[in-house]
Structures are given as structure tokens and as C-alpha cells.
Amino acid sequence: MKFDRTGIILYTVAYKQCVHFYENILGLNKMFETKNLTCFEFGTSYLMVELDDEYNGEALKTDRIKTCLRMHVPNVKILAKKLTDYGIKVDYQEHSWGTVAKFFNPDGNLCAFKDSEKFELQILNFKKSK
């Protein structure tokens, strides 16, 4: 399987503090940002810091998902179907910002396919706006 790009998503309740840390302390270059996520260059990959939208303000659970291994592909739907054919449960979602298919590896780690085209467009639009 060939991926167009790979990335790590860090889900956090300390969103603003994490963005500050990665941008100002570690000096990572910003690729793009939205209201609740900021994407940084991370070597040949990317690190996306994203507000944990499942956190409800109660005490933090130690078993909450904090990271996601993301693989960018030309056609999310085809690969999601391939996984379901193998009996893997897939959460397929289409949004205005792109298509994703979330699934868990055998050890329970969150993984996701994301459409390459819309992600590259986010980067291009951010660069144009600077």
C-alpha cells in the first residue's frame, strides 16, 4: 500500500498550550490552522494538534484516545471497503474539509485514512493567506 503523506494527530484538552509549545518552544513551522486544530511540519510527516472534542469537562480518563496514525490516500472509500472486507470495523465520514475512515489496529490504536486532495488544498490555501 502506498501513502501520499503520513501524519500524527495529537488530541488534547490543552489545545492552546500545546500549539504554543510546538510552535514557540520547539519551533515547528505551521502548515495550516483552523479554529480547533493546527497542523505543523514534523520532519517528512506532520503533527496535527487537535482539540479533543470528546472531552466533556469531567476528570480526564486515562483510557481516552490521544493520538491517531493518519495515512493520506487518493481514495478513502476504496480502502475503507477493503478493510471492511477483512472484517475490520471502519468509521467512514465525509466532511466539507475532506473524507476520513477511522479504524483501530489489532492493539487498539486509532488509525485513519484521509483524502490527499483536500489536505493538500488546506496547506495551499494557508500559504496563500500569509
Side-chain angles (χ1 to χ4, degrees), residues 21-122:
F21 175 80
Y22 290 109
E23 183 174 21
N24 299 307
I25 307 299
L26 295 186
L28 298 184
N29 292 321
K30 198 179 291 182
M31 295 170 74
F32 67 89
E33 63 186 341
T34 67
K35 180 182 174 191
N36 294 322
L37 69 84
T38 303
C39 191
F40 296 101
E41 291 177 0
F42 197 61
T44 58
S45 189
Y46 67 84
L47 173 65
M48 183 177 288
V49 179
E50 185 170 347
L51 180 65
D52 184 348
D53 61 0
E54 293 185 13
Y55 175 65
N56 62 10
E58 296 175 9
L60 292 176
K61 296 184 220 169
T62 57
D63 63 343
R64 81 183 221 284
I65 296 171
K66 300 175 201 167
T67 58
C68 175
L69 179 61
R70 183 183 273 178
M71 295 144 279
H72 290 254
V73 297
N75 192 315
V76 174
K77 194 173 225 171
I78 288 173
L79 292 178
K81 168 89 170 79
K82 189 180 228 182
L83 290 178
T84 58
D85 289 347
Y86 280 110
I88 298 170
K89 184 179 175 186
V90 176
D91 179 11
Y92 179 85
Q93 304 171 13
E94 293 183 5
H95 302 277
S96 60
W97 49 263
T99 303
V100 293
K102 296 179 180 181
F103 55 97
F104 291 93
N105 72 11
D107 195 36
N109 297 298
L110 182 62
C111 300
F113 294 136
K114 165 78 170 81
D115 64 295
S116 300
E117 183 180 354
K118 292 244 177 138
F119 186 79
E120 297 301 325
L121 188 59
Q122 285 178 296

Side-chain angles (χ1 to χ4, degrees), residues 31-32 120-130:
M31 295 170 74
F32 67 89
E120 297 301 325
L121 188 59
Q122 285 178 296
I123 297 168
L124 183 64
N125 288 337
F126 181 75
K127 287 180 180 178
K128 286 180 180 178
S129 70
K130 285 183 118 180

